[in-house]
Amino acid sequence: MTRGLPMPEPTAVICGATAGVGRASAEAFARAGYRVALIARGEQGLSDTQAQLEALGARVLAIAADVADAPALEAAATRVEAELGPIDVWVNAAMATVFGPFSALTPEEIRRVTEVTYLGSVHGTLTALRHMRPRNRGTIVQVGSALSYRAIPLQSAYCGAKFAIRGFIDSLRCELIHDRSGIRLSMVQLPAHNTPQFDWARNKVGWRAQPVPPIHTPEVAARAVLRAAREAPRELWVGTASLKAIIGTLFMPGLLDRMLARQAWDGQLIPEREPEGRPDNLFEPVEGLHATEGRFGDQAKPRAIALSAASVGKLALGAGALLALGAGWALGRRGR
């Protein structure tokens, strides 16, 4: 590299970039000086998000593609590298869900949630690796959820997809370590956020849906995704609710089953009827609702703790050591 020349701006690709966590993350990368490629289905959402980021001074490329369509993602990545430059960060944030008991879901609905939420992340990762491997560098960030550890009622298809993503990422991480690859993987496990998904996800319950409190602003997630891109922790656990859900299910899963059976069903619903005939985005994008935030702004918290899984492990070991020392001290006193 010639001394004195400015470093080129890094390039980040955001899948699911036009609403909620994806859109907030795209803005965070733009503010951090990245060139940003936006991938989503809806043309209006892409146009609005592109204008928002360009107003910040960012160089932006918007591409309409469905993450369930692997060839479309590959074509999009080829355009990104040709028009923005080598892909440094790839963020898988696209998702789809259906609210309803499993008995009310159809095979087509379950397949579509799986194709978008799970296979969309697999397709994105495959595409990112094909472009990153020749350079042996780059970071892939998977937007996960506490629901990838602790499933809840009324979202069986979505929880299944999130569990599958975590297993896939863990397996791939082992392969990259085996190959001594310089490509980094990170998964961000999120709590509830105030996003538009609760107004455009398919709802088969009949009552309006809400995230399980505590609820956070999408910017909380965006800061975590940007941190994951920079530091690449194995996992980043965001919010006390995520910590409780993940740790709790490791030690007392049966108790949580019973607690969530009582609390999480009604906790996801509000006493308002879902409007009949409301469009949903399961198979087609819903124009007009592409925004960063949803309708729960008065409840959304702007801050949350974010700890790497490694840090949580060290804290747990430290706490265990202190308990052991305390027990030893107490036994020693009793012996004397």
Side-chain angles (χ1 to χ4, degrees):
M1 182 181 296
T2 304
R3 185 173 297 176
L5 290 179
M7 292 289 290
E9 296 170 329
T11 298
V13 176
I14 316 293
C15 295
T18 57
V21 169
R23 185 162 179 165
S25 298
E27 180 178 345
F29 279 92
R31 291 185 181 279
Y34 284 75
R35 300 175 181 180
V36 183
L38 311 170
I39 297 179
R41 292 177 300 168
E43 296 284 359
Q44 179 184 335
L46 283 167
S47 177
D48 292 347
T49 307
Q50 180 174 7
Q52 175 187 343
L53 302 192
E54 288 178 341
L56 299 173
R59 185 173 172 188
V60 184
L61 175 64
I63 302 174
D66 187 338
V67 295
D69 184 343
L73 271 191
E74 179 57 44
T78 299
R79 275 194 62 191
V80 172
E81 296 237 329
E83 299 182 36
L84 292 186
I87 297 169
D88 298 284
V89 177
W90 185 287
V91 178
N92 291 311
M95 56 77 67
T97 189
V98 177
F99 290 100
F102 179 72
S103 59
L105 307 186
T106 67
E108 292 75 20
E109 290 168 338
I110 296 169
R111 182 183 302 113
R112 179 60 181 168
V113 171
T114 305
E115 287 173 346
V116 175
T117 307
Y118 172 59
L119 288 180
S121 294
V122 172
H123 296 159
T125 302
L126 281 169
T127 299
L129 287 174
R130 274 195 287 269
H131 290 269
M132 292 175 176
R133 272 197 168 114
R135 299 185 288 269
N136 195 33
R137 62 179 174 83
T139 304
I140 301 170
V141 179
Q142 175 59 51
V143 175
S145 169
L147 301 185
S148 70
Y149 281 89
R150 176 63 256 179
I152 59 176
L154 302 182
Q155 294 204 59
S156 56
Y158 179 75
C159 291
K162 286 296 186 182
F163 268 71
I165 290 169
R166 184 163 62 88
F168 158 66
I169 291 294
D170 286 354
S171 178
L172 175 59
R173 185 183 293 109
C174 294
E175 294 179 11
L176 293 176
I177 293 171
H178 174 271
D179 295 341
R180 295 183 172 85
S181 173
I183 299 169
R184 309 182 303 173
L185 295 179
S186 185
M187 190 169 182
V188 181
Q189 311 296 11
L190 297 178
H193 282 80
N194 175 32
T195 72
Q197 68 160 302
F198 301 93
D199 288 321
W200 66 16
R202 181 164 293 188
N203 186 324
K204 308 192 79 171
V205 184
W207 299 97
R208 299 190 79 183
Q210 69 169 3
V212 178
I215 303 168
H216 301 80
T217 64
E219 288 73 23
V220 169
R223 289 194 295 268
V225 171
L226 183 60
R227 175 181 166 187
R230 289 170 165 169
E231 301 175 12
R234 184 182 187 279
E235 289 194 6
L236 194 59
W237 297 355
V238 181
T240 56
S242 295
L243 294 173
K244 291 176 183 177
I246 294 170
I247 295 172
T249 203
L250 294 176
F251 290 99
M252 46 184 180
L255 176 60
L256 286 184
D257 289 342
R258 293 187 291 275
M259 287 176 57
L260 292 170
R262 292 194 304 269
Q263 300 172 12
W265 190 295
D266 292 337
Q268 294 181 82
L269 306 174
I270 60 176
E272 292 180 23
R273 281 292 179 183
E274 186 73 11
E276 291 188 14
R278 174 182 66 79
D280 65 69
N281 76 332
L282 188 59
F283 293 96
E284 299 292 337
V286 177
E287 302 294 1
L289 288 179
H290 289 85
T292 303
E293 297 190 345
R295 53 185 159 89
F296 307 99
D298 58 334
Q299 304 175 51
K301 301 176 182 295
R303 296 282 184 273
I305 188 173
L307 295 175
S308 70
S311 297
V312 175
K314 291 175 183 177
L315 290 172
L317 285 174
L322 287 173
L323 287 172
L325 287 172
W329 178 80
L331 288 172
R333 282 180 60 86
R334 179 177 297 179
R336 289 195 296 272

